[in-house]
Amino acid sequence: MLNGLGAVLASLGFAILFNVKGDKLFTAAFIGGIGGVVYYASLYFGNGEGLSLFIASIIVSLLSEIFARLLKCPVTTFLLCAIIPLVPGGGMYYTMLEVISDNIDGAIVLGVETIIQACCIAIGCILVSSMTRIWSQAKRRKV
Amino acid sequence: MMDCNQLARAATKAGEILLESGAETYRVEDTMKRICFAYGAEVVDAYATPTMLLISFSIHGELCHNIKRTQIKSVDLSKIDKVNDLSRSILDSSMSLEEFCFRLEKINQERVYRNWIMVLGAAVCTLGFAFFFKGTLKDALCAAVIGMLLKLLMIQMDRIDFNSFFKYLIGGAFTTLCAIIASKLGACHSIDTLIISVIMLLVPGLAITNAIRDTVSGDLVSGLARTAEALFVAVAIALGSGLVFTLLGGY
């Protein structure tokens, strides 16, 4: 689980690269760190890779939406920096290794796995942002 | 009497800044509409894709349109934040259109972080990823150094306006080459961890996130365009790194 804390540095670095400034920098790093820890914690409790990514991406999106409203700035500011550590870069790399070592079967297995993992993250994000959309529309109608 | 042309230009300029700094489609359209409505336009339609902006509105019975071709430049989340705030504050502070244009121009000319901070950011980033992918301290330090070199290379390539496929291909190849050298020198524990952590720097995070958010909000054209961009970059990175492995005959 300690490995998850690496995500703090990773998100912080990306926030700098994307020119985020001030206290938002550290908020983004904080959200990224929580995402990383949740991901490893879920793996530790025996959940699969896909489910863990799904849970982590839900938590990250949710926190991003909450902090964006608290600090009055676009959701992307946090979501972008915090979701990147979850992207299955390892899967992409190992797929490529299988391809160049002429092991097409392995490449297909790993490739499909990677795509499924990416879909898990996407579904997590979609779920949260659709829910907040419905929620804010319902609020507007009441007012 | 509101100047129709000036309003069209101001709204398009705001949209352009947003789009070029990497905002989602719905935010771009929303901001342009909000600006026009705030200055008294009646019927407003705005349309944005990653490469083009369209706006059409009527004011005092006069019909006005503007088209702008845009290019995606560097990601700059703080610009998005500021333009967003500015467009929301027009109504509250009853700002004149001249004042609005002036402030917009000021935001546009704002400096990004200096290059050396960017390079340092890249180092922090890859250091973090090395730990995230269960690397040792040795791997992490190695990744930080290669990350810095890679960022320097990318900054130079941005300056001479490389095409993006080639840019990421070279980025992937350069990373792999450096990692192989590092492992031959015995500076790292696991070459796989090293390459993955540095390559994460090139991952098209913006394209992926925006593709998802655009698709959710129903902007399918932009969603598809950004998905294609993400796949394109991923293939370029894999190709570059695979090329080096093949040329050097494995490791």
Side-chain angles (χ1 to χ4, degrees), chain A residues 3 6 13-14 17-21 24 40 73 76 80 85 87 93 96 100, chain B residues 24 76-78 81 113 118 121 125 128 131-132 134 192 200 209 238 241 245:
Chain A
N3 289 316
F14 263 108
L17 294 185
F18 290 150
N19 200 29
V20 179
K21 283 181 178 147
K24 287 166 197 158
Y40 273 112
C73 68
T76 358
L80 186 55
V87 171
Y93 171 74
M96 184 275 298
I100 60 171
Chain B
E24 314 100 293
D76 188 337
L77 296 178
S78 90
D81 191 6
Y113 280 122
M118 287 283 200
C125 197
F131 285 123
F132 188 69
K134 302 181 174 163
D192 293 339
M200 288 303 274
T209 332
S241 131
F245 269 133

PDB file of all heavy atoms in Angstrom, chain A residues 3 6 13-14 17-21 24 40 73 76 80 85 87 93 96 100, chain B residues 24 76-78 81 113 118 121 125 128 131-132 134 192 200 209 238 241 245:
ATOM      1  N   ASN A   3       3.281   1.775  -1.736  1.00  0.00           N
ATOM      2  CA  ASN A   3       3.575   2.127  -3.119  1.00  0.00           C
ATOM      3  C   ASN A   3       2.599   3.164  -3.646  1.00  0.00           C
ATOM      4  O   ASN A   3       2.943   3.982  -4.490  1.00  0.00           O
ATOM      5  CB  ASN A   3       3.492   0.890  -4.008  1.00  0.00           C
ATOM      6  CG  ASN A   3       4.644  -0.047  -3.744  1.00  0.00           C
ATOM      7  OD1 ASN A   3       5.768   0.393  -3.620  1.00  0.00           O
ATOM      8  ND2 ASN A   3       4.352  -1.317  -3.636  1.00  0.00           N
ATOM      9  N   GLY A   6       3.491   6.755  -3.933  1.00  0.00           N
ATOM     10  CA  GLY A   6       4.234   7.236  -5.092  1.00  0.00           C
ATOM     11  C   GLY A   6       3.345   8.073  -5.995  1.00  0.00           C
ATOM     12  O   GLY A   6       3.810   8.998  -6.665  1.00  0.00           O
ATOM     13  N   GLY A  13       3.868  16.049  -9.887  1.00  0.00           N
ATOM     14  CA  GLY A  13       4.680  16.326 -11.072  1.00  0.00           C
ATOM     15  C   GLY A  13       3.823  16.712 -12.252  1.00  0.00           C
ATOM     16  O   GLY A  13       4.095  17.700 -12.938  1.00  0.00           O
ATOM     17  N   PHE A  14       2.736  15.967 -12.468  1.00  0.00           N
ATOM     18  CA  PHE A  14       1.868  16.275 -13.605  1.00  0.00           C
ATOM     19  C   PHE A  14       1.186  17.625 -13.425  1.00  0.00           C
ATOM     20  O   PHE A  14       1.006  18.373 -14.387  1.00  0.00           O
ATOM     21  CB  PHE A  14       0.821  15.185 -13.812  1.00  0.00           C
ATOM     22  CG  PHE A  14       1.239  14.216 -14.867  1.00  0.00           C
ATOM     23  CD1 PHE A  14       1.623  12.941 -14.548  1.00  0.00           C
ATOM     24  CD2 PHE A  14       1.280  14.610 -16.187  1.00  0.00           C
ATOM     25  CE1 PHE A  14       2.045  12.057 -15.512  1.00  0.00           C
ATOM     26  CE2 PHE A  14       1.692  13.744 -17.164  1.00  0.00           C
ATOM     27  CZ  PHE A  14       2.081  12.460 -16.827  1.00  0.00           C
ATOM     28  N   LEU A  17       3.551  20.123 -14.580  1.00  0.00           N
ATOM     29  CA  LEU A  17       3.659  20.122 -16.040  1.00  0.00           C
ATOM     30  C   LEU A  17       2.449  20.771 -16.697  1.00  0.00           C
ATOM     31  O   LEU A  17       2.558  21.356 -17.757  1.00  0.00           O
ATOM     32  CB  LEU A  17       3.798  18.691 -16.563  1.00  0.00           C
ATOM     33  CG  LEU A  17       5.073  17.953 -16.196  1.00  0.00           C
ATOM     34  CD1 LEU A  17       5.103  16.611 -16.887  1.00  0.00           C
ATOM     35  CD2 LEU A  17       6.286  18.757 -16.603  1.00  0.00           C
ATOM     36  N   PHE A  18       1.271  20.645 -16.057  1.00  0.00           N
ATOM     37  CA  PHE A  18       0.068  21.232 -16.635  1.00  0.00           C
ATOM     38  C   PHE A  18      -0.184  22.641 -16.120  1.00  0.00           C
ATOM     39  O   PHE A  18      -1.266  23.180 -16.282  1.00  0.00           O
ATOM     40  CB  PHE A  18      -1.150  20.346 -16.350  1.00  0.00           C
ATOM     41  CG  PHE A  18      -1.122  19.053 -17.106  1.00  0.00           C
ATOM     42  CD1 PHE A  18      -1.712  17.910 -16.591  1.00  0.00           C
ATOM     43  CD2 PHE A  18      -0.493  18.977 -18.338  1.00  0.00           C
ATOM     44  CE1 PHE A  18      -1.680  16.718 -17.291  1.00  0.00           C
ATOM     45  CE2 PHE A  18      -0.460  17.788 -19.036  1.00  0.00           C
ATOM     46  CZ  PHE A  18      -1.050  16.658 -18.513  1.00  0.00           C
ATOM     47  N   ASN A  19       0.817  23.224 -15.453  1.00  0.00           N
ATOM     48  CA  ASN A  19       0.754  24.626 -15.054  1.00  0.00           C
ATOM     49  C   ASN A  19      -0.379  24.928 -14.060  1.00  0.00           C
ATOM     50  O   ASN A  19      -1.022  25.958 -14.140  1.00  0.00           O
ATOM     51  CB  ASN A  19       0.604  25.502 -16.298  1.00  0.00           C
ATOM     52  CG  ASN A  19       1.007  26.925 -16.043  1.00  0.00           C
ATOM     53  OD1 ASN A  19       1.857  27.165 -15.190  1.00  0.00           O
ATOM     54  ND2 ASN A  19       0.417  27.839 -16.752  1.00  0.00           N
ATOM     55  N   VAL A  20      -0.624  24.011 -13.145  1.00  0.00           N
ATOM     56  CA  VAL A  20      -1.565  24.286 -12.062  1.00  0.00           C
ATOM     57  C   VAL A  20      -0.797  25.074 -11.006  1.00  0.00           C
ATOM     58  O   VAL A  20       0.382  24.825 -10.802  1.00  0.00           O
ATOM     59  CB  VAL A  20      -2.087  22.976 -11.447  1.00  0.00           C
ATOM     60  CG1 VAL A  20      -3.035  23.254 -10.308  1.00  0.00           C
ATOM     61  CG2 VAL A  20      -2.770  22.137 -12.496  1.00  0.00           C
ATOM     62  N   LYS A  21      -1.464  26.050 -10.365  1.00  0.00           N
ATOM     63  CA  LYS A  21      -0.712  26.900  -9.440  1.00  0.00           C
ATOM     64  C   LYS A  21      -1.304  26.927  -8.038  1.00  0.00           C
ATOM     65  O   LYS A  21      -2.473  26.662  -7.849  1.00  0.00           O
ATOM     66  CB  LYS A  21      -0.643  28.318  -9.998  1.00  0.00           C
ATOM     67  CG  LYS A  21       0.377  28.394 -11.109  1.00  0.00           C
ATOM     68  CD  LYS A  21       0.516  29.763 -11.696  1.00  0.00           C
ATOM     69  CE  LYS A  21       1.595  29.723 -12.761  1.00  0.00           C
ATOM     70  NZ  LYS A  21       1.327  30.640 -13.849  1.00  0.00           N
ATOM     71  N   LYS A  24      -3.940  24.578  -5.334  1.00  0.00           N
ATOM     72  CA  LYS A  24      -4.565  23.547  -6.164  1.00  0.00           C
ATOM     73  C   LYS A  24      -3.582  22.453  -6.507  1.00  0.00           C
ATOM     74  O   LYS A  24      -3.929  21.290  -6.693  1.00  0.00           O
ATOM     75  CB  LYS A  24      -5.113  24.176  -7.442  1.00  0.00           C
ATOM     76  CG  LYS A  24      -6.351  24.978  -7.173  1.00  0.00           C
ATOM     77  CD  LYS A  24      -6.691  25.862  -8.327  1.00  0.00           C
ATOM     78  CE  LYS A  24      -7.675  26.928  -7.867  1.00  0.00           C
ATOM     79  NZ  LYS A  24      -7.668  28.082  -8.740  1.00  0.00           N
ATOM     80  N   TYR A  40      -4.126   0.202  -4.419  1.00  0.00           N
ATOM     81  CA  TYR A  40      -3.320  -0.870  -3.835  1.00  0.00           C
ATOM     82  C   TYR A  40      -4.030  -1.560  -2.680  1.00  0.00           C
ATOM     83  O   TYR A  40      -3.893  -2.770  -2.491  1.00  0.00           O
ATOM     84  CB  TYR A  40      -1.958  -0.333  -3.389  1.00  0.00           C
ATOM     85  CG  TYR A  40      -0.953  -0.360  -4.511  1.00  0.00           C
ATOM     86  CD1 TYR A  40      -0.474   0.802  -5.076  1.00  0.00           C
ATOM     87  CD2 TYR A  40      -0.510  -1.580  -5.022  1.00  0.00           C
ATOM     88  CE1 TYR A  40       0.426   0.769  -6.126  1.00  0.00           C
ATOM     89  CE2 TYR A  40       0.384  -1.619  -6.071  1.00  0.00           C
ATOM     90  CZ  TYR A  40       0.854  -0.447  -6.621  1.00  0.00           C
ATOM     91  OH  TYR A  40       1.729  -0.492  -7.661  1.00  0.00           O
ATOM     92  N   CYS A  73     -13.237  25.870  -9.148  1.00  0.00           N
ATOM     93  CA  CYS A  73     -12.441  25.816 -10.374  1.00  0.00           C
ATOM     94  C   CYS A  73     -12.846  24.568 -11.152  1.00  0.00           C
ATOM     95  O   CYS A  73     -13.526  23.699 -10.618  1.00  0.00           O
ATOM     96  CB  CYS A  73     -10.959  25.822 -10.053  1.00  0.00           C
ATOM     97  SG  CYS A  73     -10.410  24.364  -9.242  1.00  0.00           S
ATOM     98  N   THR A  76     -11.571  19.411 -14.272  1.00  0.00           N
ATOM     99  CA  THR A  76     -10.420  18.841 -14.980  1.00  0.00           C
ATOM    100  C   THR A  76      -9.109  19.113 -14.261  1.00  0.00           C
ATOM    101  O   THR A  76      -8.192  18.310 -14.338  1.00  0.00           O
ATOM    102  CB  THR A  76     -10.295  19.429 -16.391  1.00  0.00           C
ATOM    103  OG1 THR A  76     -11.364  20.309 -16.612  1.00  0.00           O
ATOM    104  CG2 THR A  76     -10.292  18.351 -17.410  1.00  0.00           C
ATOM    105  N   LEU A  80      -7.600  15.439 -14.086  1.00  0.00           N
ATOM    106  CA  LEU A  80      -6.543  15.154 -15.051  1.00  0.00           C
ATOM    107  C   LEU A  80      -5.272  14.695 -14.347  1.00  0.00           C
ATOM    108  O   LEU A  80      -4.678  13.681 -14.699  1.00  0.00           O
ATOM    109  CB  LEU A  80      -6.281  16.427 -15.855  1.00  0.00           C
ATOM    110  CG  LEU A  80      -5.327  16.324 -17.006  1.00  0.00           C
ATOM    111  CD1 LEU A  80      -5.782  15.229 -17.926  1.00  0.00           C
ATOM    112  CD2 LEU A  80      -5.310  17.638 -17.752  1.00  0.00           C
ATOM    113  N   PRO A  85      -1.975   8.522 -12.828  1.00  0.00           N
ATOM    114  CA  PRO A  85      -1.268   7.370 -12.266  1.00  0.00           C
ATOM    115  C   PRO A  85      -1.995   6.042 -12.466  1.00  0.00           C
ATOM    116  O   PRO A  85      -1.376   4.984 -12.472  1.00  0.00           O
ATOM    117  CB  PRO A  85      -1.179   7.709 -10.775  1.00  0.00           C
ATOM    118  CG  PRO A  85      -1.235   9.164 -10.722  1.00  0.00           C
ATOM    119  CD  PRO A  85      -2.120   9.591 -11.841  1.00  0.00           C
ATOM    120  N   VAL A  87      -3.677   5.116 -15.166  1.00  0.00           N
ATOM    121  CA  VAL A  87      -3.662   4.667 -16.559  1.00  0.00           C
ATOM    122  C   VAL A  87      -2.734   3.457 -16.703  1.00  0.00           C
ATOM    123  O   VAL A  87      -1.618   3.466 -16.203  1.00  0.00           O
ATOM    124  CB  VAL A  87      -3.190   5.817 -17.486  1.00  0.00           C
ATOM    125  CG1 VAL A  87      -2.947   5.316 -18.892  1.00  0.00           C
ATOM    126  CG2 VAL A  87      -4.222   6.923 -17.499  1.00  0.00           C
ATOM    127  N   TYR A  93       2.982  -1.417 -22.126  1.00  0.00           N
ATOM    128  CA  TYR A  93       4.392  -1.740 -22.320  1.00  0.00           C
ATOM    129  C   TYR A  93       4.610  -3.242 -22.492  1.00  0.00           C
ATOM    130  O   TYR A  93       5.293  -3.685 -23.413  1.00  0.00           O
ATOM    131  CB  TYR A  93       5.192  -1.203 -21.129  1.00  0.00           C
ATOM    132  CG  TYR A  93       6.617  -1.657 -21.104  1.00  0.00           C
ATOM    133  CD1 TYR A  93       7.545  -1.119 -21.989  1.00  0.00           C
ATOM    134  CD2 TYR A  93       7.037  -2.625 -20.200  1.00  0.00           C
ATOM    135  CE1 TYR A  93       8.854  -1.539 -21.973  1.00  0.00           C
ATOM    136  CE2 TYR A  93       8.342  -3.038 -20.168  1.00  0.00           C
ATOM    137  CZ  TYR A  93       9.258  -2.494 -21.059  1.00  0.00           C
ATOM    138  OH  TYR A  93      10.539  -2.913 -21.039  1.00  0.00           O
ATOM    139  N   MET A  96       3.488  -4.480 -25.806  1.00  0.00           N
ATOM    140  CA  MET A  96       4.474  -4.157 -26.834  1.00  0.00           C
ATOM    141  C   MET A  96       5.633  -5.162 -26.790  1.00  0.00           C
ATOM    142  O   MET A  96       6.086  -5.643 -27.835  1.00  0.00           O
ATOM    143  CB  MET A  96       4.961  -2.725 -26.599  1.00  0.00           C
ATOM    144  CG  MET A  96       5.919  -2.175 -27.606  1.00  0.00           C
ATOM    145  SD  MET A  96       7.589  -2.634 -27.233  1.00  0.00           S
ATOM    146  CE  MET A  96       7.843  -1.854 -25.660  1.00  0.00           C
ATOM    147  N   ILE A 100       6.946  -7.640 -29.921  1.00  0.00           N
ATOM    148  CA  ILE A 100       8.261  -7.678 -30.562  1.00  0.00           C
ATOM    149  C   ILE A 100       8.973  -9.002 -30.319  1.00  0.00           C
ATOM    150  O   ILE A 100       9.906  -9.332 -31.027  1.00  0.00           O
ATOM    151  CB  ILE A 100       9.183  -6.508 -30.146  1.00  0.00           C
ATOM    152  CG1 ILE A 100       9.418  -6.523 -28.649  1.00  0.00           C
ATOM    153  CG2 ILE A 100       8.638  -5.188 -30.606  1.00  0.00           C
ATOM    154  CD1 ILE A 100      10.467  -5.540 -28.243  1.00  0.00           C
TER     155      ILE A 100
ATOM    156  N   GLU B  24     -12.592  21.043 -21.855  1.00  0.00           N
ATOM    157  CA  GLU B  24     -13.558  20.143 -22.470  1.00  0.00           C
ATOM    158  C   GLU B  24     -14.449  20.949 -23.407  1.00  0.00           C
ATOM    159  O   GLU B  24     -14.610  22.158 -23.249  1.00  0.00           O
ATOM    160  CB  GLU B  24     -14.460  19.470 -21.429  1.00  0.00           C
ATOM    161  CG  GLU B  24     -13.789  18.899 -20.227  1.00  0.00           C
ATOM    162  CD  GLU B  24     -13.907  19.846 -19.058  1.00  0.00           C
ATOM    163  OE1 GLU B  24     -13.306  20.930 -19.139  1.00  0.00           O
ATOM    164  OE2 GLU B  24     -14.570  19.494 -18.073  1.00  0.00           O
ATOM    165  N   ASP B  76      -2.645  23.966 -20.257  1.00  0.00           N
ATOM    166  CA  ASP B  76      -2.439  24.991 -19.254  1.00  0.00           C
ATOM    167  C   ASP B  76      -3.708  25.131 -18.426  1.00  0.00           C
ATOM    168  O   ASP B  76      -4.605  25.888 -18.773  1.00  0.00           O
ATOM    169  CB  ASP B  76      -2.089  26.309 -19.950  1.00  0.00           C
ATOM    170  CG  ASP B  76      -1.667  27.361 -18.956  1.00  0.00           C
ATOM    171  OD1 ASP B  76      -2.054  27.246 -17.783  1.00  0.00           O
ATOM    172  OD2 ASP B  76      -0.969  28.299 -19.360  1.00  0.00           O
ATOM    173  N   LEU B  77      -3.788  24.355 -17.346  1.00  0.00           N
ATOM    174  CA  LEU B  77      -5.030  24.310 -16.581  1.00  0.00           C
ATOM    175  C   LEU B  77      -5.328  25.618 -15.876  1.00  0.00           C
ATOM    176  O   LEU B  77      -6.483  25.927 -15.625  1.00  0.00           O
ATOM    177  CB  LEU B  77      -4.972  23.154 -15.576  1.00  0.00           C
ATOM    178  CG  LEU B  77      -4.876  21.779 -16.216  1.00  0.00           C
ATOM    179  CD1 LEU B  77      -4.769  20.709 -15.161  1.00  0.00           C
ATOM    180  CD2 LEU B  77      -6.070  21.504 -17.089  1.00  0.00           C
ATOM    181  N   SER B  78      -4.299  26.418 -15.574  1.00  0.00           N
ATOM    182  CA  SER B  78      -4.587  27.642 -14.831  1.00  0.00           C
ATOM    183  C   SER B  78      -5.250  28.675 -15.741  1.00  0.00           C
ATOM    184  O   SER B  78      -6.055  29.480 -15.291  1.00  0.00           O
ATOM    185  CB  SER B  78      -3.320  28.194 -14.167  1.00  0.00           C
ATOM    186  OG  SER B  78      -2.654  29.080 -14.989  1.00  0.00           O
ATOM    187  N   ASP B  81      -8.938  27.846 -15.838  1.00  0.00           N
ATOM    188  CA  ASP B  81      -9.517  28.285 -14.577  1.00  0.00           C
ATOM    189  C   ASP B  81      -9.831  29.780 -14.627  1.00  0.00           C
ATOM    190  O   ASP B  81     -10.928  30.223 -14.289  1.00  0.00           O
ATOM    191  CB  ASP B  81      -8.486  27.972 -13.476  1.00  0.00           C
ATOM    192  CG  ASP B  81      -9.053  28.126 -12.103  1.00  0.00           C
ATOM    193  OD1 ASP B  81     -10.262  28.365 -12.014  1.00  0.00           O
ATOM    194  OD2 ASP B  81      -8.295  28.011 -11.132  1.00  0.00           O
ATOM    195  N   TYR B 113       5.068  27.984 -16.193  1.00  0.00           N
ATOM    196  CA  TYR B 113       6.256  27.796 -15.360  1.00  0.00           C
ATOM    197  C   TYR B 113       7.505  27.845 -16.234  1.00  0.00           C
ATOM    198  O   TYR B 113       7.475  27.496 -17.405  1.00  0.00           O
ATOM    199  CB  TYR B 113       6.199  26.433 -14.668  1.00  0.00           C
ATOM    200  CG  TYR B 113       5.317  26.390 -13.457  1.00  0.00           C
ATOM    201  CD1 TYR B 113       4.248  25.498 -13.383  1.00  0.00           C
ATOM    202  CD2 TYR B 113       5.560  27.215 -12.381  1.00  0.00           C
ATOM    203  CE1 TYR B 113       3.437  25.453 -12.261  1.00  0.00           C
ATOM    204  CE2 TYR B 113       4.759  27.169 -11.256  1.00  0.00           C
ATOM    205  CZ  TYR B 113       3.703  26.294 -11.202  1.00  0.00           C
ATOM    206  OH  TYR B 113       2.914  26.242 -10.102  1.00  0.00           O
ATOM    207  N   MET B 118       9.628  23.004 -15.050  1.00  0.00           N
ATOM    208  CA  MET B 118       8.966  21.932 -15.800  1.00  0.00           C
ATOM    209  C   MET B 118       9.808  20.655 -15.746  1.00  0.00           C
ATOM    210  O   MET B 118       9.300  19.558 -15.520  1.00  0.00           O
ATOM    211  CB  MET B 118       8.815  22.335 -17.271  1.00  0.00           C
ATOM    212  CG  MET B 118       7.764  23.368 -17.510  1.00  0.00           C
ATOM    213  SD  MET B 118       6.156  22.606 -17.458  1.00  0.00           S
ATOM    214  CE  MET B 118       5.200  23.802 -18.332  1.00  0.00           C
ATOM    215  N   GLY B 121       9.597  19.197 -12.463  1.00  0.00           N
ATOM    216  CA  GLY B 121       8.289  18.561 -12.329  1.00  0.00           C
ATOM    217  C   GLY B 121       8.292  17.173 -12.939  1.00  0.00           C
ATOM    218  O   GLY B 121       7.761  16.216 -12.360  1.00  0.00           O
ATOM    219  N   CYS B 125       7.679  13.624 -11.079  1.00  0.00           N
ATOM    220  CA  CYS B 125       6.665  12.749 -11.644  1.00  0.00           C
ATOM    221  C   CYS B 125       7.188  11.327 -11.844  1.00  0.00           C
ATOM    222  O   CYS B 125       6.588  10.355 -11.377  1.00  0.00           O
ATOM    223  CB  CYS B 125       6.295  13.364 -12.966  1.00  0.00           C
ATOM    224  SG  CYS B 125       4.824  12.793 -13.628  1.00  0.00           S
ATOM    225  N   GLY B 128       7.959   9.508  -8.622  1.00  0.00           N
ATOM    226  CA  GLY B 128       6.747   8.990  -8.007  1.00  0.00           C
ATOM    227  C   GLY B 128       6.270   7.719  -8.679  1.00  0.00           C
ATOM    228  O   GLY B 128       5.914   6.747  -8.023  1.00  0.00           O
ATOM    229  N   PHE B 131       8.113   4.543  -7.716  1.00  0.00           N
ATOM    230  CA  PHE B 131       7.652   3.961  -6.445  1.00  0.00           C
ATOM    231  C   PHE B 131       6.290   3.320  -6.619  1.00  0.00           C
ATOM    232  O   PHE B 131       6.012   2.262  -6.069  1.00  0.00           O
ATOM    233  CB  PHE B 131       7.583   5.026  -5.346  1.00  0.00           C
ATOM    234  CG  PHE B 131       8.928   5.406  -4.815  1.00  0.00           C
ATOM    235  CD1 PHE B 131       9.360   6.712  -4.851  1.00  0.00           C
ATOM    236  CD2 PHE B 131       9.777   4.429  -4.303  1.00  0.00           C
ATOM    237  CE1 PHE B 131      10.607   7.057  -4.381  1.00  0.00           C
ATOM    238  CE2 PHE B 131      11.031   4.762  -3.829  1.00  0.00           C
ATOM    239  CZ  PHE B 131      11.440   6.084  -3.872  1.00  0.00           C
ATOM    240  N   PHE B 132       5.436   3.982  -7.409  1.00  0.00           N
ATOM    241  CA  PHE B 132       4.082   3.487  -7.632  1.00  0.00           C
ATOM    242  C   PHE B 132       4.115   2.107  -8.278  1.00  0.00           C
ATOM    243  O   PHE B 132       3.316   1.243  -7.964  1.00  0.00           O
ATOM    244  CB  PHE B 132       3.312   4.466  -8.518  1.00  0.00           C
ATOM    245  CG  PHE B 132       1.854   4.157  -8.665  1.00  0.00           C
ATOM    246  CD1 PHE B 132       0.995   4.291  -7.590  1.00  0.00           C
ATOM    247  CD2 PHE B 132       1.345   3.727  -9.865  1.00  0.00           C
ATOM    248  CE1 PHE B 132      -0.344   4.008  -7.713  1.00  0.00           C
ATOM    249  CE2 PHE B 132       0.000   3.442  -9.997  1.00  0.00           C
ATOM    250  CZ  PHE B 132      -0.838   3.586  -8.920  1.00  0.00           C
ATOM    251  N   LYS B 134       6.266  -0.151  -7.834  1.00  0.00           N
ATOM    252  CA  LYS B 134       7.035  -1.055  -6.970  1.00  0.00           C
ATOM    253  C   LYS B 134       8.512  -1.120  -7.344  1.00  0.00           C
ATOM    254  O   LYS B 134       9.112  -2.186  -7.323  1.00  0.00           O
ATOM    255  CB  LYS B 134       6.429  -2.462  -6.994  1.00  0.00           C
ATOM    256  CG  LYS B 134       4.987  -2.462  -6.562  1.00  0.00           C
ATOM    257  CD  LYS B 134       4.404  -3.863  -6.574  1.00  0.00           C
ATOM    258  CE  LYS B 134       3.007  -3.835  -5.989  1.00  0.00           C
ATOM    259  NZ  LYS B 134       2.229  -5.005  -6.299  1.00  0.00           N
ATOM    260  N   ASP B 192      12.151  -2.957 -16.766  1.00  0.00           N
ATOM    261  CA  ASP B 192      10.733  -2.785 -17.101  1.00  0.00           C
ATOM    262  C   ASP B 192      10.113  -1.650 -16.289  1.00  0.00           C
ATOM    263  O   ASP B 192       9.458  -0.756 -16.827  1.00  0.00           O
ATOM    264  CB  ASP B 192       9.961  -4.084 -16.831  1.00  0.00           C
ATOM    265  CG  ASP B 192      10.401  -5.188 -17.779  1.00  0.00           C
ATOM    266  OD1 ASP B 192      10.963  -4.847 -18.833  1.00  0.00           O
ATOM    267  OD2 ASP B 192      10.189  -6.358 -17.458  1.00  0.00           O
ATOM    268  N   MET B 200       5.239   6.889 -18.667  1.00  0.00           N
ATOM    269  CA  MET B 200       3.995   7.483 -18.168  1.00  0.00           C
ATOM    270  C   MET B 200       3.970   8.987 -18.386  1.00  0.00           C
ATOM    271  O   MET B 200       2.922   9.611 -18.463  1.00  0.00           O
ATOM    272  CB  MET B 200       3.817   7.187 -16.674  1.00  0.00           C
ATOM    273  CG  MET B 200       3.461   5.763 -16.353  1.00  0.00           C
ATOM    274  SD  MET B 200       1.982   5.195 -17.155  1.00  0.00           S
ATOM    275  CE  MET B 200       0.750   5.746 -15.998  1.00  0.00           C
ATOM    276  N   THR B 209      -8.819  11.825 -20.619  1.00  0.00           N
ATOM    277  CA  THR B 209      -9.812  12.410 -19.713  1.00  0.00           C
ATOM    278  C   THR B 209     -10.866  13.195 -20.491  1.00  0.00           C
ATOM    279  O   THR B 209     -12.061  13.074 -20.240  1.00  0.00           O
ATOM    280  CB  THR B 209      -9.145  13.369 -18.718  1.00  0.00           C
ATOM    281  OG1 THR B 209      -7.814  12.959 -18.510  1.00  0.00           O
ATOM    282  CG2 THR B 209      -9.874  13.396 -17.428  1.00  0.00           C
ATOM    283  N   ALA B 238       4.546   3.058 -28.220  1.00  0.00           N
ATOM    284  CA  ALA B 238       4.877   1.638 -28.268  1.00  0.00           C
ATOM    285  C   ALA B 238       5.798   1.342 -29.444  1.00  0.00           C
ATOM    286  O   ALA B 238       6.762   0.573 -29.329  1.00  0.00           O
ATOM    287  CB  ALA B 238       3.596   0.813 -28.379  1.00  0.00           C
ATOM    288  N   SER B 241       9.382   2.596 -28.734  1.00  0.00           N
ATOM    289  CA  SER B 241      10.116   1.797 -27.773  1.00  0.00           C
ATOM    290  C   SER B 241      10.366   0.390 -28.312  1.00  0.00           C
ATOM    291  O   SER B 241      11.435  -0.188 -28.103  1.00  0.00           O
ATOM    292  CB  SER B 241       9.357   1.864 -26.452  1.00  0.00           C
ATOM    293  OG  SER B 241       9.162   0.668 -25.898  1.00  0.00           O
ATOM    294  N   PHE B 245      14.084  -1.755 -29.042  1.00  0.00           N
ATOM    295  CA  PHE B 245      14.302  -3.135 -28.573  1.00  0.00           C
ATOM    296  C   PHE B 245      14.666  -4.053 -29.738  1.00  0.00           C
ATOM    297  O   PHE B 245      15.567  -4.882 -29.638  1.00  0.00           O
ATOM    298  CB  PHE B 245      13.043  -3.663 -27.888  1.00  0.00           C
ATOM    299  CG  PHE B 245      13.025  -3.408 -26.420  1.00  0.00           C
ATOM    300  CD1 PHE B 245      11.904  -2.889 -25.808  1.00  0.00           C
ATOM    301  CD2 PHE B 245      14.141  -3.687 -25.643  1.00  0.00           C
ATOM    302  CE1 PHE B 245      11.889  -2.655 -24.445  1.00  0.00           C
ATOM    303  CE2 PHE B 245      14.129  -3.457 -24.278  1.00  0.00           C
ATOM    304  CZ  PHE B 245      13.003  -2.935 -23.693  1.00  0.00           C
TER     305      PHE B 245
END
